[in-house]
Amino acid sequence: MKKFIISLVLVSFFANSTQNFNTAKNQLTKLYKSNPKQTEFYCACEFSFNDKKGVVDFGKCGYKPRKNEARASRIEWEHVMPAENFGRHLQCWRDGGRKACKKDATFNLMEGDMHNLQPAIGEVNGDRSNYRYSQFTNQFNQYGQCQSAVDFKARQFQPRDEIRGIIARTHFYMSDKYNINLSDSERKLMTAWNKMYPPEQWECKRNQQIKQIQGHDNKFITEQCNKKSLN
């Protein structure tokens, strides 16, 4: 625990003091506006912005709202590693959860890390909650043609194949940067996904664009992108 606290203090000291969730959302909105061909995370649906509000185009991706059409129609910024996973290491979270951590500088730093944020259909973001990523089905019918699925009873979320490598490298990044423990089963799954699904061009480009804004890259992406460029 002492090592964890010291690590977070150093991270807080060297990081941009304005790094928080609201700032990250504003910066990511600008980033995606400048890359309009990119799709949202879980279902590969196209989206656009009405000022700062992200709007989903259901027609081109075959998405069908499961329950909440209003939330499904908007883009939200999803924490790939849920806030609870990194927040529960902090005293503020033990004192009162996310609400109590809003005034904690270290929590704001982690919550606002753009490397851990992805644009997602609001309904799917809500259904994913803080469930762990897993593999459990070959049937995808909860959200129309969307190739992601949720098991509410087992509290698991299965992402589409194309983003599994991104998820793995994000988890390794958050674990390394903020000293967040991954369970043995989680690390095993992420190691497999990292090898099976190497970075594509957009992941490499996004990583470098976030580095320009936030001041540092995700080294687990950079290492593979550099190897790819040399081949």
Side-chain angles (χ1 to χ4, degrees):
M1 179 59 71
K2 184 177 180 181
K3 180 182 176 182
F4 173 76
I5 294 173
I6 292 173
S7 176
L8 289 180
V9 168
L10 290 174
V11 169
S12 298
F13 180 78
F14 288 110
N16 187 334
S17 61
T18 62
Q19 184 176 314
N20 57 55
F21 192 28
N22 286 332
T23 299
K25 288 188 288 186
N26 289 334
Q27 293 287 0
L28 285 166
T29 296
K30 295 177 183 178
L31 189 156
Y32 277 85
K33 280 184 175 180
S34 66
N35 294 276
K37 292 184 179 181
Q38 300 308 317
T39 58
E40 64 81 39
F41 198 53
Y42 289 130
C43 302
C45 289
E46 294 184 14
F47 67 98
S48 57
F49 287 98
N50 181 4
D51 193 18
K52 294 183 180 180
K53 182 180 179 181
V55 181
V56 183
D57 186 342
F58 294 156
K60 293 183 179 179
C61 67
Y63 183 91
K64 293 183 179 179
R66 182 186 68 83
K67 187 177 181 180
N68 191 334
E69 185 170 355
R71 190 170 183 183
S73 66
R74 69 175 185 250
I75 287 294
E76 297 177 355
W77 295 102
E78 159 79 316
H79 287 91
V80 177
M81 176 182 279
E84 182 179 2
N85 287 41
F86 53 78
R88 65 190 176 196
H89 292 272
L90 304 174
Q91 184 61 48
C92 61
W93 194 275
R94 294 191 286 271
D95 291 340
R98 192 168 190 162
K99 185 177 180 180
C101 281
K102 284 298 182 182
K103 296 182 180 179
D104 186 277
T106 299
F107 179 80
N108 286 332
L109 188 72
M110 293 188 286
E111 189 186 32
D113 194 316
M114 288 184 281
H115 288 296
N116 189 42
L117 291 166
Q118 293 285 348
I121 290 173
E123 180 181 45
V124 183
N125 180 30
D127 286 352
R128 188 264 166 135
S129 184
N130 60 356
Y131 299 170
R132 286 197 172 187
Y133 294 109
S134 184
Q135 293 178 240
F136 54 82
T137 186
N138 292 318
Q139 301 295 318
F140 303 97
N141 51 25
Q142 290 170 302
Y143 309 104
Q145 295 177 25
C146 177
Q147 297 293 297
S148 292
V150 59
D151 185 333
F152 293 100
K153 186 175 181 180
R155 297 178 62 83
Q156 296 178 338
F157 186 91
Q158 181 171 314
R160 60 192 180 95
D161 291 358
E162 293 83 356
I163 61 172
R164 292 178 181 179
I166 300 172
I167 289 169
R169 288 178 282 280
T170 301
H171 274 71
F172 288 147
Y173 164 82
M174 292 295 289
S175 176
D176 176 73
K177 186 165 186 62
Y178 301 109
N179 202 19
I180 305 299
N181 293 328
L182 301 178
S183 69
D184 290 342
S185 60
E186 197 171 26
R187 185 169 290 279
K188 183 177 180 180
L189 178 64
M190 296 304 161
T191 298
W193 283 359
N194 184 42
K195 292 179 180 178
M196 291 173 64
Y197 305 101
E200 297 293 337
Q201 183 178 2
W202 168 240
E203 185 180 353
C204 297
K205 181 178 178 181
R206 181 184 188 272
N207 180 44
Q208 290 304 311
Q209 290 189 356
I210 290 176
K211 179 182 178 180
Q212 293 176 9
I213 299 168
Q214 193 168 282
H216 60 273
D217 64 345
N218 177 337
K219 68 179 184 181
F220 299 94
I221 299 174
T222 302
E223 288 170 2
Q224 290 203 42
C225 292
N226 287 343
K227 288 180 182 177
K228 194 172 182 179
S229 65
L230 292 174
N231 293 335

